[in-house]
Amino acid sequence: MSNLYAPPKLLFCVTKLREEERRIYDYVLQAGMEVDVCTDNMQLELADIRQYDLALIRCMSQSKALERAQYIELAGVRTLNQYESIRICTNKAFQALLFERHGIAQPAFEIAFTLDKLYDYLERFNGNFVIKPVSSSWGRGVTWINDRLTLDAWIAARESIDPQGKALPVLVQQYINKSNYDIRVVIVGDEPIVAFKRISHDSWLTNTHLGAEVEPISLSKPIKEIVKQLIDAIGSGVYGLDLFYDHTDHTYKVCEVNQNPEFAKSWLIHHVDVAQAIAELCVYTVNTGTGRNVNDVVNEHTRITI
Ligand SMILES: Nc1ncnc2c1ncn2[C@@H]1O[C@H](COP(=O)(O)OP(=O)(O)O)[C@@H](O)[C@H]1O
Ligand SMILES: [Mg+2]
């Protein structure tokens, strides 16, 4: 049982300890916290969960991250990110609706619940739009449709592998004239800590995972303003925000927001230590009491054995 003088304890949920998780782990230890690692294939010991002051979720699978966060929160321990923010981040259609409610600039969008409806969007988006599975990452399944024939082909392929439409809805977004890059903003807590262009010379998809180059840029006022709007809408946490600079109307637009951003390759170029910032956020969250649920604070005396 934890006592007043025991170091705070972190439960670190990961798929495996890659280099970037290892660095977060080391920083958290250096900051004086105890850390237990729980990998995706390990038993989550909920009976003991309240020994932890915080759980940091860095599972690579979106469904595993959601599962871990939901069980841990329901058992009474604060997670980072919180379940609700992971739920939004792991569904691009949910995000589009949240951004709309909060007036956050984004590409015009529709959510297609039937394949037929996609033909209506050919006209709506002047035959130039992007179809996205609502839950995916690393550019998987993101498809640029630029005429009726490409839409026919997309639908035919989809019908052959998913005749019952189980993978619907999909998000449909206006194609943005973004040049050969998008912008990744890494947010830790409430603040952006670094921004960089992801430039691709051979693909319209600019994910670093697919080989895009990293070019650091300054955290300009418009980028900071969008981050503030985003945090007001989704709450503080660790995020990778994907932004477009639309060269047609010269405005920034949010492409998507990710929980659990990867940084192993990019930080070697921009040199902002994302692992250290995440570790500091863990310590801050615990020290400010935001690491505990309200009930824990109310029942503080029952937790402390001196
Ligand atoms: N509406 C769009 N217009 C132009 N390019 C887009 C659009 N949506 C996505 N892209 C490109 O596709 C990439 C992947 O899309 P994204 O929504 O970020 O999905 P993922 O979760 O797979 O990263 C983006 O980084 C960007 O390069
Ligand atoms: Mg993305």
Side-chain angles (χ1 to χ4, degrees), residues 98-106 229:
L98 185 82
F99 298 158
E100 187 168 62
R101 261 185 28 226
H102 288 264
I104 297 173
Q106 64 180 324
Q229 277 186 299

Side-chain angles (χ1 to χ4, degrees), residues 4 11 58 63 84 100 125 157-158 176 178 219 262:
L4 195 58
L11 181 65
R58 272 192 77 86
S63 55
E84 184 55 21
E100 187 168 62
F125 295 111
R158 183 52 86 96
I176 298 296
K178 65 180 190 295
L219 284 164
E262 292 176 333

Side-chain angles (χ1 to χ4, degrees), residues 92 130 132 136-140 142 173-176 178 182 198 204-207 242 244 255-256:
K92 296 185 201 315
V130 177
K132 303 184 185 186
S136 67
S137 50
W138 295 342
R140 267 192 304 234
V142 175
Q173 260 183 1
Q174 163 199 20
Y175 182 82
I176 298 296
K178 65 180 190 295
D182 70 359
R198 301 187 302 182
W204 71 280
L205 298 165
T206 54
N207 300 72
D242 293 350
F244 299 127
C255 167
E256 64 152 354

